[in-house]
Amino acid sequence: MECLESVRLPEEERLKALSYSGVELDELPEYPACELDRHPHGEHVAQLLYMEEPAGSVLWLAWGGDVGMELRCLPVCESSGPTEENSCWLPVRHRGGHSWERHE
């Protein structure tokens, strides 16, 4: 099960996200939700948007744990599921299970 802890995207982080090439204000969620497996402690991670450059990367918002709140441009996990269309969409080196495991 997904964590689904959400947070309001602060204006400061929204402005930082807009500095990335090709990002439009209306593409950013106001209340991003954690996409990791349910967890009792540690940092949360939410996908903000897919990035064209660098190819295959995603802009993520991390908060909680020891990080406070920060933006991260990271590639998606390289693990693939049992079928080609079920690859993991979580950030590389994420904690917990892969996204495709939730839908088997």
Side-chain angles (χ1 to χ4, degrees):
M1 298 189 96
E2 289 180 62
C3 173
L4 298 180
E5 179 74 26
S6 65
V7 65
R8 187 169 197 283
L9 183 62
E11 190 63 26
E12 181 180 339
E13 301 305 319
R14 184 178 296 279
L15 292 174
K16 285 180 194 175
L18 290 173
S19 71
Y20 285 84
S21 176
V23 176
E24 300 290 329
L25 182 62
D26 62 345
E27 294 177 309
L28 298 172
E30 188 173 351
Y31 289 92
C34 182
E35 298 185 50
L36 300 176
D37 283 348
R38 193 169 293 186
H39 50 101
H41 53 80
E43 75 178 36
H44 300 280
V45 181
Q47 185 180 107
L48 293 182
L49 59 110
Y50 180 81
M51 305 289 289
E52 295 296 325
E53 293 295 327
S57 292
V58 173
L59 187 61
W60 303 90
L61 177 68
W63 75 95
D66 295 333
V67 298
M69 188 170 290
E70 66 183 24
L71 294 177
R72 297 178 183 163
C73 185
L74 298 171
V76 294
C77 178
E78 297 174 357
S79 294
S80 57
T83 63
E84 190 173 304
E85 61 272 358
N86 285 344
S87 59
C88 185
W89 69 77
L90 296 172
V92 67
R93 296 183 302 280
H94 62 85
R95 68 190 281 178
H98 299 291
S99 58
W100 53 266
E101 294 173 313
R102 297 178 191 148
H103 305 287
E104 285 188 317

